[in-house]
Amino acid sequence: MTGFLTDSLLIANPAISDNPKFENIAGKAVYIIEHSDKGAVGVSLNQNYSKRLEELAETLPLLGNLSEDRLVTKNKVIAGGPLFMDRPWLLSRNPKRYQSTIGNDCLRLNFDQEAFQSCTPDHLPCCGIGTFGWGPRQLEQELAHSLWHHFPSTLDVLESIPFDASVVGAADLLALMKYSDPTPRKAKSRFLSW
């Protein structure tokens, strides 16, 4: 069963930044790839690693299968979350389901080597390391306690998100990946200039 948060954007409530317990989520804009009665999986889209793709590939060989000209984010690698920090991923429009794929009707999160090898620019892929995850009903409880703001990832909503530049950049990136024509590749996101 697919939950209502699948294919949506969550933004951490700015008020939680004063609480050390929530230090790891403060300021995050997280795209929810899948939400069901078993829990939820998402990736933060508004923070990049300080190291470039080539540097990170020295310790994570899977990244060596990528060239920056195939990625929407070029040589940047997204810091996707505090879980699975040793597992690179590709978030893209690639319709194929590999052995290690989590996805929805719009975008897929792939961890599989074959996905990295067959990555093409028309899939509008971005690359990252780390994820967010929630157990059954955990995310719903966090929403009920106002830890997150929920936004459907429709184009009009993504274009009107009223938060700071890093969050708007994440919304721009998501809008670019979901709604732009992959052929011209002229659309730009504020995220790409960080």
Side-chain angles (χ1 to χ4, degrees):
M1 176 183 156
T2 300
F4 76 96
L5 295 170
T6 294
D7 185 36
S8 61
L9 190 67
L10 298 182
I11 298 171
N13 185 337
I16 66 169
S17 60
D18 294 336
N19 187 333
K21 181 178 178 182
F22 301 113
E23 196 170 54
N24 65 333
I25 66 168
K28 300 295 184 193
V30 178
Y31 176 61
I32 301 298
I33 295 143
E34 185 176 81
H35 176 232
S36 71
D37 54 355
K38 295 178 183 175
V41 176
V43 292
S44 175
L45 295 177
N46 65 328
Q47 184 178 357
N48 294 318
Y49 280 91
S50 57
K51 292 182 177 180
R52 297 165 58 101
L53 177 65
E54 307 81 35
E55 294 174 82
L56 290 166
E58 292 173 10
T59 55
L60 296 166
L62 193 56
L63 295 175
N65 292 312
L66 296 175
S67 62
E68 67 178 54
D69 61 330
R70 294 189 212 167
L71 300 173
V72 170
T73 50
K74 300 299 176 200
N75 59 15
K76 298 180 182 196
V77 177
I78 297 171
L83 304 175
F84 304 108
M85 298 294 296
D86 60 340
R87 292 196 64 195
W89 47 258
L90 282 176
L91 181 65
S92 73
R93 289 187 189 174
N94 186 348
K96 186 172 180 184
R97 286 198 175 266
Y98 300 95
Q99 188 172 0
S100 300
T101 299
I102 301 167
N104 55 52
D105 292 338
C106 300
L107 299 174
R108 301 213 192 296
L109 188 69
N110 288 300
F111 300 92
D112 198 279
Q113 182 171 351
E114 187 181 348
F116 279 79
Q117 291 170 336
S118 62
C119 171
T120 63
D122 61 317
H123 293 151
L124 297 174
C126 68
C127 174
I129 304 167
T131 62
F132 272 80
W134 294 266
R137 307 226 18 97
Q138 181 183 356
L139 186 51
E140 292 88 332
Q141 290 172 358
E142 290 183 9
L143 279 166
H145 288 99
S146 300
L147 295 179
W148 299 98
H149 296 286
H150 170 253
F151 295 89
S153 68
T154 59
L155 186 58
D156 58 333
V157 170
L158 291 173
E159 289 179 340
S160 64
I161 285 183
F163 288 91
D164 70 27
S166 71
V167 170
V168 170
D172 284 349
L173 176 64
L174 189 52
L176 173 68
M177 294 178 70
K178 283 185 65 175
Y179 297 107
S180 70
D181 178 0
T183 310
R185 300 287 304 265
K186 291 181 183 175
K188 292 285 183 192
S189 166
R190 284 167 268 198
F191 178 86
L192 303 180
S193 62
W194 298 357

